[in-house]
């Protein structure tokens, strides 16, 4: 299976060009669930030059929740719990970052400072690991109690989705709200329906296909900003964490910050996806890229990864 | 101590037209050097004065003439990150003429015209006030309302670029909204902050009053107009959240008084307030203060509020320039409001009572009152 991960499409759309390069004539299936109730709005997907069919995952999920009320209520309860856990995890991260900063400005031996820096990063990695494990436990408990892939309210849509996907040559996943998007993709186990078709995803869509979904913003109007994990992604592309819109969101001119970011998510490669950027993966492994930048553990930026 | 400033180097050299021309072509004006700004005027005059609105400094300061040349200069000590609006008064034949600084291209416009602007060291014009070509443009329309309170009123209505009726939006009501648009780039800033996901999609109502000094000064009719005419009309006709957390009143100067007074008269209805350089005059004794009769209703209001402060809203953002005479009033108000249990954020800037000061604080204020989905949305 070929997977192409790209950056934002609203300024320099190039997904149509990718389709042409891959000789995909269409039709192609499209997921725009990250835009929630606006998923069928015109303009969310650039002109592709091939016929498209929108899978309307967001409205299908809303239909499931409305018709299967017990399941819908349980699902929303789980989401509320996960949101609260995310908030508490963020509180812990803020304190860990404050501690790291307080230590980093001490005037001590450089070797000791480097060791302490690594310890600070490890402390954050522990919080990340703990958060992922606890999210996984909540999800496992929920899925054991509510095996939704077998629920009639879900399987009915899955059948329709399978029929819609059947004549298509590729699946496109647009950006938007990454948590909403990831949840809808999981709810309908969409990738199982796609088979070996080509996958092309941008921004939030690209994030969902990686092993970890890293949320990040280092230039917020308030607070210090930073990165946090949302959850495990769908893991279609291994070994990389993608970072869309880096110019707005990352402080790439700060080598310490770049190094900490990269070390925190090792062994994943942290790679930016700006306008026009592209990563191509085959059998789960990234084999080529364009207009990408990789954040390196030594604080440098490697242009053009891999 | 001069510290080797450009003007001192020039003064120490020959006072010739050639030296003057070389000096003028070698610098941009005013000359900013560390914590000092040197203002220069070139031309024949009997006297030249710097006229500014920095509270705490004499509002008129005389430029010195360079011997043998029609060149005038004045150096002021100015703290870092200051922003100063000013004019020059050129006196000829006993008559003074106020003018913008001919050597300085930086201007700030306001309803009275324009002023020259000096940026102290470290001041940076925010990048988010310039139109971001990637940002989608919202729609502004002029809308009429036949209100019970004031009869027909028109207001500007901003709808975000991707507005649609199936969503629910918070509502921001901006006093003197048309001026915010003209002089503080409100629409560009809204487009940019929404694009950056720093604030959510938001509907903004830009009001203006034909009699603001009366209506904004704690007038029950204004509170009624907002709360019983305007906001209900908007909530009926637009997909708004229609809850306190989704209603914000904003204003500057008398507009800030209008916002706080309306919230005070209808406690709990407005969950967000953005108050910029509010004219919150009060008296520690008596019912008047030095600002004159226009402020009398405000003094009564702020005195009452200070005597019996209550939580009228949930989150209140207050900003004021340290070069404003109102800094004392705003500094005094912040702890009073905070003491009621409201979540208050108070910020100061080294600026005066002007539209660009208010413009520069909009990102911090709006994004604190209405945080956007920065971490979760990736287009």
């Amino acid at each position: 299976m070929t997977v192409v991960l790209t950056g934002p499409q609203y300024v320099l759309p190039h997904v149509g060009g990718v389709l042409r390069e891959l000789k995909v004539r269409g039709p192609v299936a499209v997921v725009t669930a990250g835009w929630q109730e606006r998923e069928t709005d015109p303009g969310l997907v650039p002109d592709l030059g091939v016929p498209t069919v929108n899978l309307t995952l967001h409205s299908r999920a809303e239909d499931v929740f409305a018709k299967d009320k017990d399941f819908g209520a349980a699902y929303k309860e789980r989401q509320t719990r996960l949101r609260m856990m995310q908030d508490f995890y963020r509180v812990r991260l803020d304190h860990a970052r404050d501690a790291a900063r307080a230590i980093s400005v001490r005037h001590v031996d450089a070797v000791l400072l480097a060791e302490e820096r690594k310890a600070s990063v490890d402390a954050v990695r522990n919080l990340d690991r703990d958060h992922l494990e606890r999210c996984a436990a909540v999800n496992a408990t929920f899925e054991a109690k509510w095996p939704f892939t077998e629920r009639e309210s879900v399987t009915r849509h899955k059948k329709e989705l399978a029929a819609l996907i059947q004549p298509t040559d590729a699946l496109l996943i647009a950006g938007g709200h990454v948590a909403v998007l990831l949840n809808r993709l999981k709810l309908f186990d969409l990738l199982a329906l796609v088979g070996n078709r080509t996958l092309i995803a941008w921004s939030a869509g690209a994030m969902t296909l990686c092993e970890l979904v890293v949320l990040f913003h280092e230039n917020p109007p308030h607070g210090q900003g930073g990165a946090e994990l949302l959850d495990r992604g769908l893991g279609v592309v291994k070994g990389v964490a993608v970072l869309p819109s880096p110019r707005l969101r990352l402080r790439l001119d700060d080598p310490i910050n770049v190094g900490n970011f990269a070390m925190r998510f090792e062994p994943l490669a942290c790679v930016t996806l700006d306008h026009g950027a592209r990563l191509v993966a085959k059998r789960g492994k990234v084999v080529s890229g364009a207009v990408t930048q990789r954040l390196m553990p030594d604080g440098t930026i490697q242009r053009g990864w891999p | 101590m001069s510290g080797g400033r450009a003007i001192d180097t020039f003064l120490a050299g020959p006072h010739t037209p050639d030296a003057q021309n070389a000096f003028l072509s070698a610098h941009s004006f005013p000359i900013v050097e560390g914590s000092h700004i040197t203002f220069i005027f070139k031309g024949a005059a009997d006297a030249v004065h710097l006229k500014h609105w920095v509270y705490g400094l004499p509002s008129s300061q005389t430029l010195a003439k360079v011997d043998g040349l029609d060149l005038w200069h004045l150096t002021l000590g100015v703290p870092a990150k200051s922003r100063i609006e000013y004019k020059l008064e050129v006196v000829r034949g006993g008559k003074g003429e106020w003018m913008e600084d001919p050597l300085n291209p930086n201007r700030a416009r306001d309803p009275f015209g324009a002023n020259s602007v000096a940026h102290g060291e470290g001041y940076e014009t925010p990048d988010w006030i310039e139109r971001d070509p990637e940002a989608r443009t919202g729609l502004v329309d002029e809308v009429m309302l036949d209100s019970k309170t004031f009869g027909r009123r028109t207001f500007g209505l901003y709808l975000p670029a991707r507005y649609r009726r199936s969503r629910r939006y918070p509502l921001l009501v901006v006093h003197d909204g048309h001026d915010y648009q003209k002089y503080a780039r409100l629409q560009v800033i809204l487009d940019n902050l929404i694009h950056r996901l720093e604030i959510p999609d938001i509907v903004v109502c830009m009001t203006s009053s034909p009699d603001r000094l009366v209506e904004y000064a704690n007038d029950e009719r204004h509170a009624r107009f907002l709360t019983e005419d305007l906001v209900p009309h908007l909530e009926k006709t637009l997909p708004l959240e229609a809850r306190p957390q989704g209603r914000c009143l904003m204003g500057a100067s008398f507009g800030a008084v209008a916002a706080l007074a309306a919230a005070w008269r209808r406690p709990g209805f407005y969950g967000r307030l953005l108050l910029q350089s509010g004219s919150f005059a009060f008296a520690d004794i008596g019912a008047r203060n030095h600002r004159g009769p226009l402020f009398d209703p405000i003094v009564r209001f702020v005195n009452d509020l200070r005597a019996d402060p209550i939580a009228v809203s949930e989150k209140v953002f207050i900003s004021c320039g340290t070069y404003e005479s109102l800094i004392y009033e705003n500094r005094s108000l912040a702890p009073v409001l905070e003491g009621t249990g409201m979540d208050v954020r108070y910020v100061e800037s080294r600026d005066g009572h002007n539209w660009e000061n208010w413009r520069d604080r909009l990102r911090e204020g709006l994004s604190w009152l209405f945080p956007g989905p920065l971490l979760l949305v990736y287009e």
Side-chain angles (χ1 to χ4, degrees):
Chain A
M1 178 201 284
T2 299
V3 183
V4 181
L5 307 180
T6 76
Q9 293 297 310
Y10 57 90
V11 175
L12 295 169
H14 62 285
V15 169
V18 172
L19 288 172
R20 284 189 290 281
E21 282 175 37
L22 295 173
K23 300 190 176 9
V24 174
R25 293 195 179 83
V28 297
V30 178
V31 172
T32 50
W35 291 106
Q36 299 164 271
E37 75 276 14
R38 297 188 299 205
E39 68 181 341
T40 54
D41 273 10
L44 293 179
V45 176
D47 183 22
L48 301 173
V50 298
T52 61
V53 53
N54 194 317
L55 300 181
T56 61
L57 291 196
H58 188 267
S59 67
R60 288 177 188 279
E62 293 304 302
D63 181 65
V64 169
F65 300 145
K67 289 184 176 151
D68 194 348
K69 291 195 185 316
D70 290 345
F71 172 66
Y75 191 95
K76 283 176 181 166
E77 192 181 325
R78 178 191 68 163
Q79 292 311 114
T80 303
R81 184 181 177 83
L82 289 172
R83 268 198 298 276
M84 288 167 69
M85 287 166 59
Q86 194 80 23
D87 280 345
F88 300 151
Y89 161 57
R90 196 172 295 146
V91 171
R92 293 189 181 98
L93 284 176
D94 283 345
H95 283 276
R97 278 194 289 255
D98 287 344
R101 182 171 294 116
I103 292 166
S104 71
V105 297
R106 296 292 175 91
H107 295 277
V108 296
D109 169 60
V111 175
L112 175 59
L113 206 56
E115 287 173 14
E116 292 299 325
R117 181 181 166 205
K118 185 176 177 311
S120 294
V121 173
D122 285 345
V124 174
R125 284 170 65 98
N126 287 337
L127 291 176
D128 292 341
R129 189 180 310 115
D130 174 69
H131 179 63
L132 281 183
E133 285 171 2
R134 296 174 68 227
C135 288
V138 168
N139 288 332
T141 304
F142 177 79
E143 284 160 25
K145 190 172 178 189
W146 299 92
F148 53 81
T149 52
E150 297 161 22
R151 290 187 83 78
E152 192 278 332
S153 58
V154 176
T155 54
R156 183 169 58 79
H157 281 290
K158 285 178 69 175
K159 278 182 196 156
E160 290 178 13
L161 289 167
L164 288 172
I165 291 168
Q166 194 276 328
T168 63
D169 294 336
L171 175 72
L172 270 58
I173 307 176
H177 193 293
V178 67
V180 169
L181 179 58
L182 181 63
N183 288 340
R184 270 54 180 180
L185 292 169
K186 284 182 176 174
L187 178 66
F188 297 110
D189 196 12
L190 196 76
L191 294 188
L193 303 176
V194 172
N196 279 326
R197 287 173 178 80
T198 297
L199 285 179
I200 301 172
W202 61 91
S203 293
M207 295 163 77
T208 65
L209 296 183
C210 296
E211 293 174 85
L212 294 179
V213 178
V214 179
L215 309 178
F216 64 103
H217 201 302
E218 297 184 323
N219 298 302
H222 300 283
Q224 51 188 303
E228 63 189 52
L229 291 176
L230 175 69
D231 201 346
R232 293 199 181 283
L234 300 173
V236 178
V237 179
K238 313 281 188 201
V240 61
V242 293
L243 309 170
S245 304
R247 278 177 294 168
L248 265 184
R249 292 174 172 272
L250 287 175
R251 286 189 285 117
L252 297 179
D253 56 350
D254 178 347
I256 298 286
N257 183 61
V258 168
N260 287 349
F261 200 115
M263 283 194 284
R264 176 177 172 186
F265 297 110
E266 280 186 314
L268 300 182
C270 293
V271 179
T272 65
L273 287 179
D274 209 340
H275 296 288
R278 180 192 309 186
L279 288 173
V280 179
K282 291 192 187 288
R283 289 181 291 282
K285 190 178 172 208
V286 175
V287 293
S288 65
V291 200
T292 56
Q293 302 176 93
R294 180 181 175 187
L295 284 62
M296 302 299 287
D298 64 2
T300 59
I301 305 287
Q302 178 189 340
R303 292 179 201 285
W305 183 83
Chain B
M1 195 175 104
S2 69
R5 286 189 280 278
I7 185 64
D8 298 313
T9 306
F10 171 71
L11 291 173
H15 295 185
T16 63
D18 283 349
Q20 174 181 285
N21 290 341
F23 172 70
L24 291 175
S25 60
H27 299 280
S28 56
F29 297 94
I31 304 172
V32 180
E33 294 165 301
S35 58
H36 288 81
I37 300 182
T38 299
F39 299 87
I40 298 288
F41 176 74
K42 175 182 170 289
D46 301 325
V48 181
H49 305 291
L50 177 75
K51 299 287 190 181
H52 62 78
W53 294 270
V54 176
Y55 186 70
L57 292 178
S59 59
S60 180
Q61 302 206 31
T62 302
L63 278 71
K65 188 173 187 300
V66 178
D67 287 340
L69 294 171
D70 283 333
L71 196 71
W72 306 76
H73 67 96
L74 171 70
T75 300
L76 286 184
V78 174
K81 296 186 179 176
S82 293
R83 200 187 143 280
I84 293 174
E85 296 197 6
Y86 68 97
K87 278 194 167 77
L88 295 175
E89 183 192 28
V90 178
V91 182
R92 293 182 183 111
K95 201 172 159 189
E97 180 192 359
W98 288 43
M99 62 173 67
E100 294 150 28
D101 182 347
L103 294 175
N104 179 1
N106 287 334
R107 297 281 185 278
R109 292 191 311 123
D110 65 22
F112 307 104
N115 291 316
S116 294
V117 183
H119 294 161
E121 188 174 70
Y123 172 85
E124 286 183 17
T125 305
D127 60 355
W128 43 266
I129 69 158
E130 302 296 343
R131 174 159 296 289
D132 181 342
E134 294 181 10
R136 297 171 180 88
T137 307
L139 181 72
V140 174
D141 213 350
E142 203 61 17
V143 180
M144 269 190 307
L145 169 67
D146 288 315
S147 72
K148 285 182 195 157
T149 309
F150 288 132
R152 178 161 291 185
R153 285 280 165 101
T154 59
F155 54 88
L157 186 64
Y158 171 89
L159 300 179
R162 289 185 291 193
Y163 169 85
R164 59 179 286 165
R165 294 202 62 84
S166 59
R167 283 193 91 94
R168 295 273 162 195
Y169 298 92
L171 171 68
L172 172 67
V173 177
V174 182
H175 292 85
D176 301 312
H178 297 91
D179 285 343
Y180 264 104
Q181 235 193 321
K182 271 189 227 159
Y183 307 117
R185 302 196 189 188
L186 179 61
Q187 188 186 349
V188 171
I189 291 170
L190 289 167
D191 288 341
N192 287 348
L193 297 184
I194 290 170
H195 166 68
R196 292 173 173 219
L197 307 166
E198 293 182 2
I199 61 171
D201 283 355
I202 191 168
V203 170
V204 180
C205 174
M206 293 173 269
T207 67
S208 295
S209 163
D211 193 12
R212 66 188 291 279
L213 294 179
V214 173
E215 290 178 8
Y216 286 3
N218 186 32
D219 188 324
E220 165 58 21
R221 293 173 307 156
H222 181 68
R224 193 163 64 235
F225 168 70
L226 288 178
T227 315
E228 290 161 35
D229 294 337
L230 180 66
V231 173
H233 168 74
L234 294 170
E235 290 182 350
K236 198 171 152 190
T237 53
L238 296 167
L240 299 175
E241 290 179 5
R243 60 192 182 110
Q245 296 76 13
R247 296 187 195 111
C248 180
L249 296 180
M250 165 174 145
S253 194
F254 264 54
V257 174
L260 181 59
W264 185 66
R265 286 174 176 275
R266 301 293 190 277
F269 190 76
Y270 301 100
R272 304 284 182 267
L273 300 175
L274 201 164
L275 312 175
Q276 300 196 291
S277 304
S279 307
F280 298 120
F282 64 92
D284 286 313
I285 185 165
R288 301 194 77 169
N289 84 359
H290 65 280
R291 293 177 186 276
L294 275 176
F295 282 77
D296 285 352
I298 298 176
V299 171
R300 285 195 294 274
F301 158 55
V302 180
N303 282 356
D304 287 348
L305 186 148
R306 288 167 58 84
D308 186 17
I310 56 167
V312 298
S313 187
E314 292 181 5
K315 292 181 84 172
V316 186
F317 181 89
I318 307 171
S319 69
C320 192
T322 55
Y323 301 155
E324 300 185 51
S325 69
L326 288 161
I327 188 68
Y328 169 75
E329 284 80 354
N330 281 272
R331 278 180 183 158
S332 302
L333 180 71
V336 171
L337 298 185
E338 204 160 21
T340 66
M342 290 188 285
D343 191 1
V344 175
R345 176 169 287 210
Y346 172 67
V347 300
E348 294 183 350
S349 55
R350 288 181 175 143
D351 207 328
H353 195 76
N354 61 65
W355 285 99
E356 294 197 357
N357 179 15
W358 303 330
R359 175 199 72 187
D360 286 2
R361 310 275 87 73
L362 285 178
R363 180 191 188 211
E364 188 172 5
L366 290 172
S367 63
W368 183 71
L369 292 170
F370 293 107
L374 280 176
L375 270 182
L376 285 164
V377 175
Y378 302 78
E379 280 194 60

